[in-house]
């Protein structure tokens, strides 16, 4: 009896959510923008399971939407480098590349200090692929 009471008390003290699985998908957006041409950016909506890396979310989007595609190369030290989006590839000779930016829900835009293989999107973020020059 004492043990049961103790266990019940301990369970009540656990923060809610601790015992539930957090695999409910949450929405994010992907915005593809070519900053070197003045054409309209394209927005895609998808869902991620909390904890997924961005590359996983991009694969899911590519599998479900024929209008979104990308390629990447494998850097020996930093992992996946985003090479092309929707057929347009960065080119070292032209100094062009796909910059990874993230618009967070408060509206500010951050530039992650990791690539698509390490960045973990959060609910309601907008992932921005910004084709630009270095
Ligand atoms: C120059 C540079 C770039 C240039 C490289 C172009 C070129 N051909 O020179 C450009 C502007 C393209 C670039 C882009 C990015 N970069 Co950068 N870059 C550097 C920097 C300052 C020097 C790299 C270098 O020339 N090394 C010397 C050469 C001889 O070695 P190398 O191995 O051949 O270098 C190659 C790799 O570094 C690769 N590379 C560069 N950046 C990145 C990022 C990722 C994620 C990958 C997989 C590969 C990669 O490009 C180099 C040339 O081929 C390093 C920091 C540093 N001081 O090392 C950051 C660094 C490697 N970059 C970084 C990041 C985060 C990015 C971006 C994700 C930034 C963003 N938010 O958009 C993007 C990549 C986006 C994508 N398309 O996937 C991080 C990687 C950390 C991590 N663990 O993921 C670093 C360590 C800087 C930092 N501390 O934040 N980058
Ligand atoms: C994208 O890159 C351009 C430069 O080419 C820069 O002016 C702009 O602020 C970047 N960010 C966004 C969200 O467009």
């Amino acid at each position: 009896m004492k043990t049961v009471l103790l266990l019940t008390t301990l369970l009540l003290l656990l923060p809610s959510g601790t015992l539930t699985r957090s695999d409910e998908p949450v929405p994010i957006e992907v915005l593809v923008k070519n900053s070197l041409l003045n054409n309209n950016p394209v927005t895609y909506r998808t869902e991620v399971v909390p904890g997924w890396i961005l590359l996983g979310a991009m694969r899911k989007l590519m599998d479900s939407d024929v209008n979104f595609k990308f390629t990447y190369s494998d850097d020996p030290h930093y992992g996946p480098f985003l090479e092309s989006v929707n057929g347009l590839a960065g080119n070292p000779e032209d100094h062009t590349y796909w910059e990874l930016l993230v618009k967070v829900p408060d509206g500010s835009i951050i530039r992650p200090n990791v690539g698509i293989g390490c960045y973990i999107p959060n609910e309601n973020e907008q992932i921005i692929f910004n084709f630009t020059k270095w």
Side-chain angles (χ1 to χ4, degrees):
M1 186 58 201
K2 256 189 180 163
T3 329
V4 172
L5 196 67
L6 185 68
L7 281 173
T8 317
T9 316
L10 280 175
L11 280 175
L12 285 172
L13 287 171
L14 285 171
S16 66
T18 308
L19 298 176
T20 56
R21 288 155 54 107
S22 63
D23 56 5
E24 285 296 309
V26 297
I28 60 162
E29 276 184 8
V30 171
L31 184 114
V32 176
K33 181 179 172 183
N34 184 342
S35 290
L36 305 181
L37 297 179
N38 239 352
N39 55 12
N40 289 333
V42 191
T43 306
Y44 304 86
R45 273 162 261 276
T46 186
E47 287 185 327
V48 292
V49 171
W52 279 11
I53 56 170
L54 175 56
L55 176 60
M58 292 165 70
R59 283 195 179 115
K60 180 187 165 169
L61 178 59
M62 184 159 69
D63 287 345
S64 64
D65 191 329
V66 293
N67 296 310
F68 179 78
K69 27 186 205 335
F70 69 97
T71 62
Y72 65 93
S73 58
D74 186 27
D75 182 272
H77 309 114
Y78 298 113
F81 182 84
L82 181 61
E83 283 199 329
S84 78
V85 179
N86 295 342
L88 175 63
N91 180 344
E93 277 168 31
D94 304 336
H95 287 205
T96 54
Y97 77 110
W98 284 99
E99 179 183 30
L100 168 62
L101 301 170
V102 179
K103 190 174 181 179
V104 296
D106 79 4
S108 55
I109 293 177
I110 58 162
R111 189 175 188 268
N113 61 359
V114 293
I116 57 171
C118 293
Y119 187 73
I120 297 179
N122 299 296
E123 184 168 2
N124 293 324
E125 282 181 350
Q126 184 184 60
I127 307 299
I128 302 171
F129 297 123
N130 192 27
F131 191 72
T132 184
K133 287 194 157 212
W134 79 77

